[in-house]
């Protein structure tokens, strides 16, 4: 047995990429490294871009570091907080407090290719310095520092007005690393929607073209966010809109208006509607579509429209034969075609790139006022705007991810859309526990709310409060869906790092005898096992008491764990028998992993015997922490 949590590291994406390359081209990888000389021989000069060679694309100082930062494994974990959650035991929704870069790294195994839709409303880089000061050496330490969990001088984090808040490079680096990681989580038919304004929309589109592929660009939706003109404008223009960039394969489309279909003539082919037959091409472009159309029964000549007809003579002859032409009695009229309802290829039509008509920012503020009775968030997105996007991007059972959760509108919209179309969905929200700025007058109501409700004055506390208020006021009486959420918080791994002090090796060995951080609970460790084994964080965890020890089953037997502090020789038969029987009940694959605390075993003999007994019964993956 051995320690398996890589000293608490998350998935090493770079190593995964190298292993994937090795599967395709084994000759390219030697001793875990890519041989670029061989690479050139395999792919030729066409496969290699020379250093410094001019190329089209978006580049900025810090781009390489941002990419490296995305692929640097996290040393963090997510600690479960049942006491702050709603319906902890049953809900599949997640609310995660922490820096979204670190959280996205930690979600790589459990949610790779599982998220159907991502919606984010990132900082717009408007001059208020955003609180994502990525440290490319130790980003988790940076996060702990900037959330007041680690501060040598006792200073609390606030959003400051800084001149470098307008720098495109800092914003691009912040977005680049996070979007790179988010792409890995999307399903093959997944979609990402990103709200943005004029300041960064051009850069963001180029960034998304690089990450998600220009061929996967769907639309740059325009939302008229302001109802009335801004008379405070400096340059005379009132900016009344925002954008929502969308990348993916395909959105659903708008519901067709089927009320126009009927069957007034009792046509045996069913309901139909009148469809236009006028073409869209000039005679120079499509001469075969320009001809006089004559009713063969009345000999009325309806002539030829300026842009011709939509069908050639052969197709028109077939329509006439099938009695699908609606002939006007007036020669000046236009013949039309019977379009039958049962011939529609889809029940949906195009979704307009102008979204959210008659939905404005003030409606988002009204959503908050209805819940809190006061304005505790600045410019939240309206729930009804996001329900439209969720309707376009998801189906029954899909996961929606928002790693800039802010006011929590995405979760609220997921719940409301479930009621609207009767389809289940799940969400994962990530929000930095940023402190409210005591100097910001616009956040006064938010600070007073936190004080009145004995909450730490952080954005994430307000987000959780919003979700709980929405449940209480809007969804409490609805029993058929999941209106709860698990709270998890980013922190350092439960696994102690191996710190060797060469001048005092004896004490070093004593210090590292217990690999788990003091004060962490069994539930904390179990959730790190979920992350590192790539199991959904909403997976049920069952437990049984065996001989005064607790045995856990995670993911219906995908993982078993016994984290007791003491396992003696006398415990072997009881523990192994219980695991073997429980494994048979659940009947998972033989890839089941079983974990114990390394320091719990009475001695190495007990540890070896336990592993041998389990292996004899087909359970070969026995590990110690």
């Amino acid at each position: 047995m051995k320690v398996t949590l890589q000293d608490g590291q998350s998935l090493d994406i770079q190593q995964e990429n190298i292993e994937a390359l090795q599967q395709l081209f084994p000759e390219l990888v030697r001793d875990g490294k890519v041989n670029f000389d061989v690479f050139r021989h395999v792919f030729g000069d066409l496969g290699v871009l020379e250093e410094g060679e001019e190329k089209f694309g978006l580049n900025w100082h810090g781009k390489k570091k941002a990419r490296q930062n995305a692929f640097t494994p996290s040393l963090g974990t997510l600690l479960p907080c049942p006491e702050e959650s709603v319906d902890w035991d049953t809900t599949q929704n997640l609310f995660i407090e922490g820096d979204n870069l670190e959280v996205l790294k930690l979600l790589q195994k459990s949610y790779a290719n599982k998220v159907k839709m991502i919606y984010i409303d990132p900082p717009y880089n408007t001059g208020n310095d955003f609180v994502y000061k990525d440290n490319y050496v130790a980003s988790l330490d940076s996060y702990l520092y900037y959330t007041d969990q680690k501060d040598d001088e006792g200073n609390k984090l606030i959003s400051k007005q800084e001149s470098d808040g307008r720098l495109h490079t800092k914003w691009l680096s912040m977005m680049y690393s996070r979007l790179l990681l988010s792409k890995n989580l999307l399903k093959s038919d997944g979609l990402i929607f990103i709200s943005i304004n004029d300041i960064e929309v051009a850069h963001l589109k180029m960034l998304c073209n690089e990450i998600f592929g220009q061929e996967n660009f769907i639309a740059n939706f325009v939302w008229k966010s302001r109802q009335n003109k801004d008379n405070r404008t400096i340059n005379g223009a009132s900016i009344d809109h925002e954008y929502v960039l969308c990348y993916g394969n395909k959105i659903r489309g708008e519901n067709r208006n089927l009320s126009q279909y009927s069957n007034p003539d009792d046509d045996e082919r069913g309901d139909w509607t009148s469809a236009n037959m006028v073409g869209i091409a000039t005679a120079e472009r499509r001469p075969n579509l320009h001809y006089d159309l004559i009713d063969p029964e009345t000999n009325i000549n309806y002539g030829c429209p300026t842009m011709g007809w939509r069908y050639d003579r052969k197709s028109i002859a077939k329509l006439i034969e099938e009695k699908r032409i609606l002939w006007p009695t007036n020669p000046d009229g236009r013949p039309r075609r019977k379009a039958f309802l049962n011939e529609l290829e889809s029940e949906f039509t195009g979704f307009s790139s102008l979204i959210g008509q008659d939905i404005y920012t003030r409606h988002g503020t009204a959503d908050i006022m209805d819940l809190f009775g006061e304005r505790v968030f600045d410019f939240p997105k309206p729930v009804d705007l996001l329900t439209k996007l969720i309707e376009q991007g998801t189906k029954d059972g899909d996961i929606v991810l928002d790693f800039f959760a802010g006011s929590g509108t995405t979760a609220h919209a997921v719940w409301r859309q479930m009621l609207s179309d009767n389809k289940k969905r799940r969400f994962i929200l990530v929000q930095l526990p940023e402190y409210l700025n005591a100097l910001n007058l616009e956040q006064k109501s938010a600070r007073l709310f936190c004080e009145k409700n004995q909450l730490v004055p952080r954005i994430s506390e307000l987000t959780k409060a919003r979700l709980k208020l929405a449940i209480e006021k809007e969804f409490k009486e609805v029993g058929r869906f999941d209106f709860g959420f698990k709270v998890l918080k980013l922190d350092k791994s439960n696994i102690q790092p191996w710190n060797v002090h060469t001048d005092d090796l004896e004490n070093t060995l004593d210090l590292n005898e217990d690999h788990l951080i003091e004060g962490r609970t069994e539930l904390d460790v179990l959730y790190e096992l979920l992350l590192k084994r790539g199991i959904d964080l909403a997976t049920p965890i069952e437990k049984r008491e065996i001989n005064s020890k607790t045995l856990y089953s995670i993911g219906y037997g995908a993982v078993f764990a016994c984290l007791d502090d003491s396992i003696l020789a006398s415990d072997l038969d009881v523990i192994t028998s219980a695991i073997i029987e429980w494994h048979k009940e659940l009947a998972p694959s033989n890839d089941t992993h079983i974990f114990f605390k390394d320091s719990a075993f009475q001695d190495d003999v007990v540890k070896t015997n336990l592993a041998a007994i389990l292996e004899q019964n087909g359970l070969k993956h026995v590990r110690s922490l």
Side-chain angles (χ1 to χ4, degrees):
M1 294 190 292
K2 61 180 181 180
V3 177
T4 61
L5 296 191
Q6 300 109 28
D7 287 332
Q9 286 191 3
S10 65
L11 177 67
D12 189 334
I13 298 176
Q14 286 182 318
Q15 186 59 38
E16 292 271 316
N17 292 337
I18 291 174
E19 291 174 3
L21 184 64
Q22 188 174 19
Q23 290 291 322
L24 295 173
F25 303 98
E27 67 273 26
L28 294 185
V29 181
R30 288 291 180 270
D31 299 324
K33 297 183 181 299
V34 178
N35 188 322
F36 283 96
D37 288 334
V38 177
F39 188 97
R40 187 185 292 274
H41 288 307
V42 173
F43 292 100
D45 290 338
L46 293 177
V48 179
L49 187 67
E50 295 295 340
E51 186 72 23
E53 184 177 337
E54 291 182 352
K55 55 187 179 295
F56 178 79
L58 180 63
N59 289 291
W60 65 92
H61 180 70
K63 184 177 183 180
K64 289 183 180 179
K65 286 187 176 180
R67 186 188 298 115
Q68 291 169 358
N69 196 26
F71 295 144
T72 301
S74 173
L75 297 176
T77 189
L78 299 178
L79 301 181
C81 303
E83 68 284 354
E84 299 181 36
S85 307
V86 176
D87 297 334
W88 171 268
D89 292 328
T90 57
T91 185
Q92 292 191 313
N93 300 313
L94 306 179
F95 180 84
I96 304 172
E97 288 188 23
D99 173 55
N100 50 21
L101 180 63
E102 294 296 314
V103 172
L104 286 170
K105 292 178 183 181
L106 293 172
L107 297 180
Q108 292 297 304
K109 274 194 173 181
S110 295
Y111 295 97
N113 306 312
K114 292 182 180 179
V115 174
K116 180 59 188 300
M117 172 181 161
I118 296 173
Y119 170 79
I120 55 173
D121 185 12
Y124 282 5
N125 206 12
T126 57
N128 293 324
D129 188 32
F130 44 85
V131 191
Y132 291 92
K133 302 175 182 295
D134 299 332
N135 180 314
Y136 301 116
V137 178
S139 51
L140 181 63
D141 285 339
S142 175
Y143 156 72
L144 294 172
Y145 178 89
Y146 282 110
T147 55
D148 197 42
Q149 297 182 54
K150 181 178 179 181
D151 190 336
D152 294 336
E153 299 178 2
N155 297 321
K156 293 182 179 180
L157 175 66
I158 60 173
S159 294
K160 302 174 183 177
Q161 295 283 337
E162 293 183 0
S163 59
D164 68 350
R166 288 189 176 273
L167 292 178
H168 296 296
T169 56
K170 178 189 282 189
W171 188 88
L172 283 168
S173 292
M174 184 272 294
M175 291 295 295
Y176 186 48
S177 53
R178 288 160 175 81
L179 290 176
L180 280 173
L181 290 168
S182 70
K183 179 188 176 184
N184 298 333
L185 303 179
L186 280 174
K187 298 175 70 173
S188 59
D189 62 345
L191 294 159
I192 183 168
F193 296 88
I194 308 174
S195 285
I196 199 66
N197 68 0
D198 282 309
I199 294 175
E200 296 290 358
V201 64
H203 296 137
L204 180 62
K205 190 170 188 297
M206 292 188 71
L207 197 64
C208 288
N209 284 345
E210 176 180 332
I211 295 172
F212 301 104
Q214 187 172 351
E215 68 279 7
N216 293 314
F217 171 68
I218 292 180
N220 191 4
F221 295 105
V222 180
W223 171 45
K224 189 179 185 303
S225 56
R226 183 190 293 274
Q227 182 175 12
N228 301 313
K229 294 178 181 178
D230 185 359
N231 294 320
R232 301 166 297 175
T233 176
I234 297 174
N235 58 13
S238 174
I239 307 302
D240 302 336
H241 68 277
E242 294 182 18
Y243 304 100
V244 180
L245 270 175
C246 179
Y247 282 77
N249 178 257
K250 184 181 180 181
I251 59 175
R252 191 202 68 171
E254 197 69 84
N255 286 313
R256 287 184 182 273
N257 180 10
L258 301 182
S259 62
Q260 60 186 310
Y261 288 86
S262 61
N263 194 2
D265 59 351
D266 294 324
D267 193 309
E268 62 182 11
R269 291 166 289 190
D271 290 353
W272 55 271
T273 188
S274 168
N276 182 27
M277 293 202 308
V278 175
I280 57 173
T282 63
E284 289 76 15
R285 291 178 55 201
R286 297 292 301 275
N288 64 318
L289 300 180
H290 287 257
Y291 52 86
D292 285 354
L293 182 56
I294 300 173
D295 183 346
E297 294 186 4
T298 65
N299 289 320
I300 296 176
N301 187 339
Y302 297 95
C304 179
T306 304
M307 301 302 286
W309 299 104
R310 188 164 296 187
Y311 309 100
D312 60 20
R313 293 176 184 270
K314 184 178 180 180
S315 299
I316 284 289
K318 185 177 182 182
L319 290 174
I320 292 173
E321 181 184 351
E322 295 175 350
K323 298 187 180 301
R324 297 181 64 162
I325 304 291
L326 301 169
W327 303 102
T329 56
N330 188 336
D332 295 329
R334 286 275 184 259
R336 293 175 67 84
R337 174 180 63 92
K338 274 187 174 183
F340 289 94
L341 178 61
N342 59 17
E343 294 176 337
L344 286 177
E345 294 182 358
S346 171
E347 60 184 298
F348 304 110
T349 185
F351 182 68
S352 175
S353 60
L354 303 176
I355 60 173
Q357 288 90 337
D358 302 321
I359 301 174
Y360 307 106
T361 299
R362 66 177 179 84
H363 292 110
T365 301
D367 291 334
I368 295 300
M369 292 292 293
D370 288 344
L371 294 173
F372 289 87
E374 50 193 320
R375 181 173 176 170
V376 299
F377 286 104
D378 295 328
F379 310 113
K381 289 294 185 289
V383 174
D384 289 343
L385 177 69
L386 293 199
T387 57
K388 292 183 178 296
L389 300 182
I390 291 167
E391 181 182 48
Q392 289 301 311
T394 62
K395 303 185 294 295
D396 194 40
D398 283 338
I399 298 176
V400 179
L401 168 65
D402 182 352
F403 51 89
F404 286 98
S407 66
T409 301
T410 298
H412 197 160
V414 166
W415 285 336
R416 191 174 288 179
Q417 185 58 33
M418 290 197 303
L419 291 184
S420 175
D421 61 15
N422 205 35
K423 294 177 181 178
K424 295 181 180 179
R425 295 171 177 87
R426 302 167 52 189
F427 64 74
I428 302 173
L429 263 57
V430 185
Q431 176 56 40
L432 187 75
E434 176 193 356
Y435 272 95
L436 297 167
N437 188 348
L439 303 178
N440 189 334
L441 294 177
E442 291 181 346
Q443 294 184 358
K444 183 178 180 180
S445 294
R447 296 195 306 274
L448 290 175
F449 177 86
C450 290
E451 182 180 335
K452 182 170 59 178
N453 291 276
Q454 298 181 324
L455 300 176
V456 179
R458 287 176 173 163
I459 297 295
S460 54
E461 294 296 326
L462 291 172
T463 313
K464 286 182 289 185
R466 188 256 177 91
L467 300 186
K468 291 176 181 179
L469 286 169
I471 294 169
E472 182 68 26
K473 295 187 176 184
E474 191 171 343
F475 307 110
K476 184 178 181 180
E477 304 303 323
V478 183
R480 66 183 185 275
F481 291 119
D482 176 3
F483 297 112
F485 59 94
K486 292 180 187 286
V487 176
L488 300 110
K489 296 184 180 181
L490 176 68
D491 211 318
K492 287 190 174 182
S493 170
N494 296 287
I495 308 300
Q496 289 272 21
W498 179 261
N499 296 316
V500 178
H501 301 284
T502 55
D503 57 340
D504 192 2
L505 187 58
E506 183 177 346
N507 284 336
T508 295
L509 293 173
D510 289 339
L511 288 171
N512 288 280
E513 185 177 349
D514 190 347
H515 298 306
L516 301 181
I517 290 178
E518 186 178 355
R520 296 294 171 85
T521 67
E522 292 187 355
L523 194 61
D524 294 338
V525 177
L526 291 172
Y527 269 83
E528 185 157 0
L529 289 175
L530 287 174
L531 283 171
K532 303 304 164 59
R533 294 299 307 155
I535 300 173
D536 193 319
L537 295 179
T539 296
I541 297 177
E542 301 176 77
K543 65 179 181 179
R544 292 181 178 178
E545 297 299 325
I546 307 294
N547 202 29
S548 74
K549 303 183 189 306
T550 304
L551 183 64
Y552 296 92
S553 167
I554 305 172
Y556 305 104
V559 172
F560 287 101
C562 180
L563 303 177
D564 198 273
D565 290 328
S566 175
I567 298 178
L568 307 176
S570 57
D571 298 317
L572 284 184
D573 288 343
V574 176
I575 292 176
T576 54
S577 297
I579 293 174
I580 292 165
E581 289 304 313
W582 203 356
H583 182 264
K584 288 179 180 178
E585 287 179 29
L586 298 172
S589 70
N590 287 329
D591 194 40
T592 294
H593 282 63
I594 307 170
F595 292 88
F596 299 90
K597 290 178 67 173
D598 194 66
S599 59
F601 291 102
Q602 179 180 346
D603 50 43
D604 288 342
V605 174
V606 173
K607 181 165 62 172
T608 302
N609 289 342
L610 181 144
I613 295 171
L614 292 174
E615 186 172 352
Q616 288 170 6
N617 287 272
L619 299 171
K620 300 179 181 180
H621 304 293
V622 183
R623 302 289 185 260
S624 61
L625 304 173

